Amino acid sequence: MSNLDQAPAEIDCEAEPGTRNLTVLEPREVPLGGPRAMTVRRTLPQRQRSLIGAWCFLDHYGPNDVSVRGGMDVPPHPHIGLQTVSWLFAGGIEHHDSSGGEAIIYPGDVNLMTAGHGIQHSEVSTLDTTILHGVQLWTALPSSARSTAPMFEKAKPPALEHDGAVVRVFLGSLLGYTSPITAFTPIVGAQVDIPANTTVRIPVDASFEHGVLVDTGAVTLNGEAAPVDNLSYLGVGVDSLEFVVGDEPARMILIGGEPFQEKIIMWWNLVANTHEAIVEAREAWQEEAILGGRKPDRFGTMSGYKPLPGNHSGLSALPAPEMPTVRLKPREQPPA
Ligand code: MN
């Protein structure tokens, strides 16, 4: 998916200290634009925290009845310096990108797109989708991988059973399993499902910081409430996560990783290490895809984008917003 904010701030991101006590990061509602467009609950980046490991972006959406809210219809748009991870609880999404990647995912499948030095892609919910529900995450690439060639990978992680929980590791490592798709930093991303009235302890890497997004269920995490739709954060030094689940089954997304070693800048759909690199990528996108003054090079060419009937923006590519004149750090952002 895309950050469709028309006036995105430029955010300096770096690892911030945390504690072994739970910090609850509240979601911010962000409309994705257009009269019938869906709204997402964004928990990363935000004022209190811009990164969890290399995870730098987390949007949670649905369940949305697409006959009421419309589906997902994101025209081609660029990315640099990051990976996008698409993971669904309900519905289907069709993906196309300029590295030649094309895939339809349903719940249980993961799409991983590594932008490297530049890629463009589209995402459209499938015509058979009635309810759309899922998450979109980004990881920041370390400088050693920032200029890597763009690539697309898809996987269907196994359902690991642990202590009554079902765990699907879509990126990185957990419970002795490592996802076959490519991670560039020590990281974990997983869906964790736990039946009602069950307590589960999951061993985790104590050198990682972690976040748990609760989609459904009343969950206590390491002795403290982890509210639905919030991202509950634990700093490094925690070697297990104890989930106590109430009267309804719980479904969660667990993310974590080694605190990211570098400062990065995030603006719109672009991640880089300098402001100048963001400006350069924005100009290249505008000239290659929007204004037509330059042959497609950095972001390649797209095929396969089919807008959702009756629900599309009318755009064949998303223009970049204007760059802000003031740069912000997460903790300096005004309350949204
Ligand atoms: Mn995108």
Side-chain angles (χ1 to χ4, degrees), residues 16 31 52 93-94 102 109 112 123 179 190 205 215 243 250 289 299 315 321 331:
E16 291 131 344
I52 296 180
I93 294 176
E94 183 171 345
E102 51 180 66
D109 302 322
L112 177 70
E123 283 184 299
S179 167
D205 189 326
D215 178 66
F243 299 92
F299 295 102
L315 297 170
R331 59 185 166 276

Side-chain angles (χ1 to χ4, degrees), residues 35-36 73-75 305-316:
R36 297 174 72 221
D73 189 349
V74 185
Y305 170 55
K306 294 189 293 286
L308 216 48
N311 190 42
H312 63 88
S313 62
L315 297 170
S316 58

